[in-house]
Amino acid sequence: MNKYVKKGLKITGIVVGIIAVIYLCLCFVFYFATKPASDKAKQTNEIALEKTPITTITKNYHLSRSVESNSLAGTSKKGKKYYFIYLPKSKKAYLYQANKGKSEEQILKIFNNAHPGHDNLKCQLGWYKGMPVWKVTYHKKNGNYGYVLYNFKNGKELAYADNL
C-alpha cells in the first residue's frame, strides 16, 4: 500500500472511533436521564399488580401539577378496565373503575369538540387539587403550547391555559 492509502485508512479509523465514542456517551446520557422516570413507572406498576385487581397494564402516565403522580391503565383477569393513581411522596394510591369516569379517548373527543384545530395532543392521567384529572397538552400552529385539565369522573373542564 502506498502512503496515501495508509494515511486515508488511519484518518477513517480515527473518525469512526470518535463517532463511536460520541454515540456511547449519548447512550449513557439518555440512559441516566430516563432512569428516574422509568424507575417510578416500574414502582407504580409493581404496586398496582400487587395490591389491586389489575393483572395487565396497558398504559403508564405521569403528571406533575400541584403534586407528582404516576398513573396507569390496566385490566383485571375478568377483563374489567381500571385506572390506578399513585402519589409517591405521600405513598397514597387510588383505584378507579374505568366505567366510573371518563377514558382517555372520551377526554380527547371532548377536547377536540371544545378546542378544535390543535396538533400533537398528549393526554395524561394524574392528581390535581385532591382529585383525579386528565391533562391534555397540545402544540399550536403558531409554535405555542397549551393545556386543559378535565375532571376524571365527569369530564368537566377545570383549567385552560393557551399560548404558553
Side-chain angles (χ1 to χ4, degrees):
M1 273 196 261
N2 67 29
K3 64 181 181 178
Y4 295 112
V5 174
K6 285 183 180 179
K7 188 174 182 180
L9 288 174
K10 185 177 181 181
I11 291 172
T12 303
I14 291 171
V15 169
V16 168
I18 290 171
I19 291 172
V21 168
I22 291 171
Y23 176 76
L24 288 173
C25 289
L26 289 174
C27 288
F28 281 120
V29 167
F30 180 76
Y31 173 77
F32 287 111
T34 59
K35 186 166 177 22
S38 65
D39 287 348
K40 289 177 184 178
K42 195 181 299 183
Q43 178 189 29
T44 303
N45 292 353
E46 289 171 359
I47 293 168
L49 292 171
E50 183 181 317
K51 305 278 185 187
T52 70
I54 296 172
T55 56
T56 305
I57 296 166
T58 55
K59 190 164 184 181
N60 285 88
Y61 305 97
H62 175 78
L63 184 64
S64 284
R65 295 294 307 156
S66 60
V67 66
E68 181 183 357
S69 57
N70 298 306
S71 311
L72 59 87
T75 56
S76 67
K77 285 181 185 176
K78 296 180 181 180
K80 283 183 115 176
K81 189 171 180 181
Y82 290 94
Y83 292 105
F84 178 76
I85 301 174
Y86 179 64
L87 311 177
K89 290 199 169 132
S90 66
K91 305 250 188 254
K92 291 184 179 179
Y94 302 90
L95 180 68
Y96 298 97
Q97 288 183 7
N99 61 1
K100 303 286 187 202
K102 300 292 182 185
S103 69
E104 180 178 350
E105 295 79 19
Q106 290 171 318
I107 290 297
L108 289 173
K109 187 175 181 180
I110 291 169
F111 173 82
N112 284 323
N113 288 338
H115 309 282
H118 296 298
D119 295 329
N120 301 326
L121 297 179
K122 186 175 180 183
C123 194
Q124 296 293 327
L125 177 65
W127 199 254
Y128 179 68
K129 292 188 176 180
M131 71 175 81
V133 297
W134 286 104
K135 178 183 177 187
V136 178
T137 56
Y138 56 89
H139 185 242
K140 296 180 73 164
K141 289 180 174 61
N142 66 6
N144 293 337
Y145 292 87
Y147 70 87
V148 183
L149 291 176
Y150 292 98
N151 185 308
F152 167 79
K153 292 183 180 178
N154 59 22
K156 181 180 173 191
E157 189 173 301
L158 301 172
Y160 174 68
D162 194 28
N163 284 317
L164 301 175

